[in-house]
Amino acid sequence: MDTIVCQDLIEVVTRWVLQNSPDPLGGDGLVTPETDLLASGLLDSVGLMNLVAYIESVVRCRIDLELDVDLAEFSTIRGLCGHAVQSRDGMRQGGGHE
Amino acid sequence: MNNEMIHSYSQIANAYESEVNRNSCWGQVADRFVRCVLLEKVRRVRGDVGDIGCGTGRTLFDLAAGAKASTKFTGVEPAEMMRQIASSRVQGRDNIRIIDGRFESLGLPDGSFDYVYSILAFHWTEDPTRSVGELRRVLRHDGRMDLLFTGRWTGREFIRATTPVYMRHLGPALLFRAVGLRRQFTVPETVELFSRAFPQENVRVTESFETHYDTLESHMGWWIRFEGQLGGLPTDRLETCRAEVSQALSRLGTERGIPYTTHLIHVEVDLSQ
């Protein structure tokens, strides 16, 4: 799972969102990597928090929430996955432990 | 409940006594629970009754008034100002006492109560497993208990409308911290939690959903309680945030008013069976 690439991660995360959303067919019924998970009602704040924890478990790396976070991206699957991969890669380059 | 939330609730203790709060959806939920569940059970108790998270002591006082003279009541409340109001309310009533404590640490001897109840407080516990262990410890071997608290899906309309606002103002780190202060129980999790401390056959868990319609002003009257969870937001930012939250909620308006759906979990334990 360490070698997971962003596209694979996006697919895994999209499945998680559909399985855990209280309203998976809400909004326009379409979940794309760019869908705003909060504004569409797919996830609420608790759901987003759980999603972050899930992504952390998949990439085996803590997502740094204090870092310069683009809030618009933080509520999309693509943005979150990108942020997670960046966090993981940054940790590797910095010699951190997974 | 963590110290920050205890302080926050202590600061708004006087607002708890207000008519707005008592008439709010939460006031109605609490009143109905008292009328439909607690009144009759408390009347039948011979011995000791505990109200955990008794707040300003209004329910405790009213229930004690209708109970047997020999029944002793203990209200446990961590927020100092709430406790002060409760203590003033019960002054002169020898069968009621108010003490400092919280679910995680009730500060009472083993087997203190024949009956324990709690209204809209357990979702603030910091450590559910320890809290349920404490409840088991203070309940007598044939005791009974009724807890009512909010579940995972409470206020879904409001949360959906306001999360983007809070995300903008707080950022993910503070937002997740705020969200994490309140436990988000589901029925399966609750059953599992209480069945670890009590025999499963003595535990009954039910849930209910109800949509309340009210005016923006009335909803905002109690919604500001949530601001206690927003520690770290500067006052000027808080004002802007509050205005945006108000706008977001007003957009939910229907002919009947602004809807708010409560998700309530009721845990009944009966060890006398």
Side-chain angles (χ1 to χ4, degrees):
Chain A
M1 193 60 77
D2 279 356
T3 55
I4 194 165
V5 294
C6 200
Q7 189 55 42
D8 293 339
L9 185 58
I10 285 171
E11 285 172 21
V12 169
V13 169
T14 303
R15 273 202 297 277
W16 187 95
V17 169
L18 288 169
Q19 283 166 2
N20 289 276
S21 168
D23 191 10
L25 296 176
D28 55 10
L30 186 69
V31 184
T32 74
E34 285 75 33
T35 302
D36 187 318
L37 300 171
L38 296 176
S40 65
L42 279 162
L43 295 181
D44 62 10
S45 48
V46 178
L48 188 63
M49 185 172 72
N50 292 341
L51 174 59
V52 168
Y54 173 72
I55 295 174
E56 287 178 340
S57 74
V58 172
V59 299
R60 297 184 189 177
C61 164
R62 293 281 293 176
I63 296 177
D64 191 343
L65 303 175
E66 305 282 1
L67 266 182
D68 227 0
V69 177
D70 179 338
L71 293 181
E73 286 204 352
F74 203 81
S75 49
T76 68
I77 291 173
R78 188 181 299 285
L80 276 169
C81 291
H83 196 61
V85 170
Q86 270 179 7
S87 295
R88 185 191 62 190
D89 293 348
M91 192 171 68
R92 281 179 175 164
Q93 283 165 12
H97 297 283
E98 290 186 22
Chain B
M1 190 183 259
N2 81 353
N3 289 333
E4 197 179 324
M5 285 308 294
I6 290 169
H7 179 66
S8 164
Y9 265 78
S10 195
Q11 284 187 316
I12 60 168
N14 285 322
Y16 251 72
E17 293 294 288
S18 72
E19 205 169 326
V20 171
N21 189 48
R22 282 158 52 198
N23 291 334
S24 71
C25 55
W26 295 114
Q28 291 171 35
V29 162
D31 279 351
R32 189 163 54 231
F33 189 64
V34 170
R35 274 188 282 110
C36 298
V37 178
L38 301 187
L39 261 178
E40 189 50 37
K41 288 189 177 180
V42 168
R43 273 195 197 121
R44 287 188 303 211
V45 174
R46 292 173 188 277
D48 297 285
V49 174
D51 178 341
I52 316 301
C54 70
T56 57
R58 181 175 293 277
T59 300
L60 185 68
F61 185 82
D62 290 346
L63 286 173
K68 292 183 173 69
S70 58
T71 307
K72 304 265 188 254
F73 289 81
T74 299
V76 180
E77 172 56 45
E80 188 181 357
M81 289 303 292
M82 294 271 195
R83 219 166 44 241
Q84 278 183 20
I85 294 172
S87 295
S88 302
R89 192 191 299 279
V90 305
Q91 205 166 25
R93 300 291 300 264
D94 294 339
N95 64 332
I96 312 176
R97 63 172 174 159
I98 307 294
I99 64 166
D100 184 11
R102 56 184 85 183
F103 279 105
E104 300 85 351
S105 175
L106 291 170
L108 289 158
D110 294 358
S112 291
F113 299 120
D114 299 285
Y115 182 59
V116 167
Y117 69 85
S118 176
I119 308 172
L120 301 175
F122 187 72
H123 47 259
W124 291 118
T125 179
E126 279 191 288
D127 186 338
T129 301
R130 185 172 169 190
S131 296
V132 175
E134 273 291 88
L135 291 167
R136 177 71 188 91
R137 187 182 65 75
V138 300
L139 203 59
R140 293 194 177 127
H141 66 91
D142 57 351
R144 300 175 78 179
M145 181 168 79
D146 282 286
L147 305 185
L148 182 75
F149 48 91
T150 64
R152 165 72 178 87
W153 304 114
T154 214
R156 212 176 120 191
E157 310 93 334
F158 275 33
I159 291 170
R160 178 174 174 174
T162 60
T163 296
V165 176
Y166 287 123
M167 178 63 101
R168 269 200 309 281
H169 286 278
L170 297 173
L174 271 180
L175 177 66
F176 291 170
R177 184 177 164 278
V179 166
L181 289 174
R182 181 169 73 81
R183 294 281 157 186
Q184 313 282 338
F185 290 108
T186 61
V187 166
E189 287 164 2
T190 306
V191 169
E192 204 268 332
L193 174 67
F194 281 81
S195 298
R196 272 188 255 142
F198 296 96
Q200 194 166 1
E201 62 271 23
N202 299 110
V203 177
R204 183 167 175 251
V205 179
T206 52
E207 68 182 331
S208 60
F209 294 83
E210 188 176 356
T211 302
H212 301 255
Y213 293 86
D214 214 333
T215 62
L216 177 66
E217 292 70 27
S218 189
H219 278 311
M220 286 301 287
W222 62 262
W223 180 253
I224 58 166
R225 286 188 216 170
F226 179 72
E227 290 177 0
Q229 293 173 247
L230 308 181
L233 200 60
T235 311
D236 56 335
R237 197 79 197 266
L238 189 62
E239 291 293 331
T240 313
C241 181
R242 188 182 293 161
E244 288 179 24
V245 163
S246 181
Q247 280 174 5
L249 295 185
S250 67
R251 285 195 284 273
L252 297 175
T254 68
E255 280 181 7
R256 297 176 66 187
I258 296 175
Y260 182 89
T261 301
T262 54
H263 174 208
L264 299 169
I265 295 184
H266 177 193
V267 175
E268 292 176 81
V269 174
D270 186 352
L271 299 175
S272 68
Q273 300 293 315

